[in-house]
Amino acid sequence: MMNTAETTTKSSPTKLPTVGLSRRLFAILYDSLLLLALLLVAAAVGTIFTDGEATDPGNPLMATWLFFVSFFYFAWPWLNTGQTLGMKTWRIRLERIDGKPLTLWHILLRFLSAIPSIGLGGVGLWWMLFNNDKLALHDIFSETRLVDLKQLKQ
């Protein structure tokens, strides 16, 4: 459950600063470990449909299944609290730049644009070092940002 100090009105952007690169990286690492564990379970569940046999590499059904599991790992908490478990640990929250509530469209844009942004050597994350508002490329594409909740009183 979110702290009352961490809740904000969804009609205006917060005055909280955008989180820096190092805390983003730690949250990404934390969430990556959790997602890996979830994907291992999802792959095991997928073997139910192959009579316990391993699927062929590149199997489109398994790849699609794991893609959707990955998407929902992020989409569900972002829609409900704006925070994955890694983001809660590092006191980071996702919000729209205009302060309105997050929509599935913004989350889908963020998820899809983060794949190349983070995956291609982190070029999208490095972009934030040159952006005045400390926004990564996937922040810009999805019109969202990660705010630093350490500034809130507990």
Side-chain angles (χ1 to χ4, degrees), residues 72-106:
F72 285 111
Y73 172 82
F74 292 101
W76 182 262
W78 283 345
L79 278 173
N80 289 294
T81 64
Q83 296 176 289
T84 60
L85 291 174
M87 293 165 73
K88 283 182 183 184
T89 301
W90 290 96
R91 300 192 38 86
I92 298 169
R93 184 182 59 228
L94 178 67
E95 64 179 31
R96 279 179 53 181
I97 291 173
D98 63 9
K100 294 180 182 174
L102 289 166
T103 66
L104 192 55
W105 177 247
H106 290 92

Side-chain angles (χ1 to χ4, degrees), residues 101-121:
L102 289 166
T103 66
L104 192 55
W105 177 247
H106 290 92
I107 289 169
L108 180 63
L109 282 175
R110 182 177 183 82
F111 180 79
L112 292 175
S113 63
I115 294 170
S117 181
I118 295 170
L120 296 174

Side-chain angles (χ1 to χ4, degrees), residues 45-52:
V45 169
T47 63
I48 291 171
F49 302 104
T50 61
D51 295 326

Side-chain angles (χ1 to χ4, degrees), residues 127-147:
W127 181 264
M128 68 182 288
L129 297 175
F130 305 101
N131 183 280
N132 290 338
D133 297 321
K134 293 200 292 189
L135 297 176
L137 288 178
H138 49 279
D139 294 331
I140 295 167
F141 291 140
S142 63
E143 299 176 345
T144 60
R145 69 186 193 117
L146 295 178
V147 295

Side-chain angles (χ1 to χ4, degrees), residues 13 35 71:
L35 180 59
F71 175 71

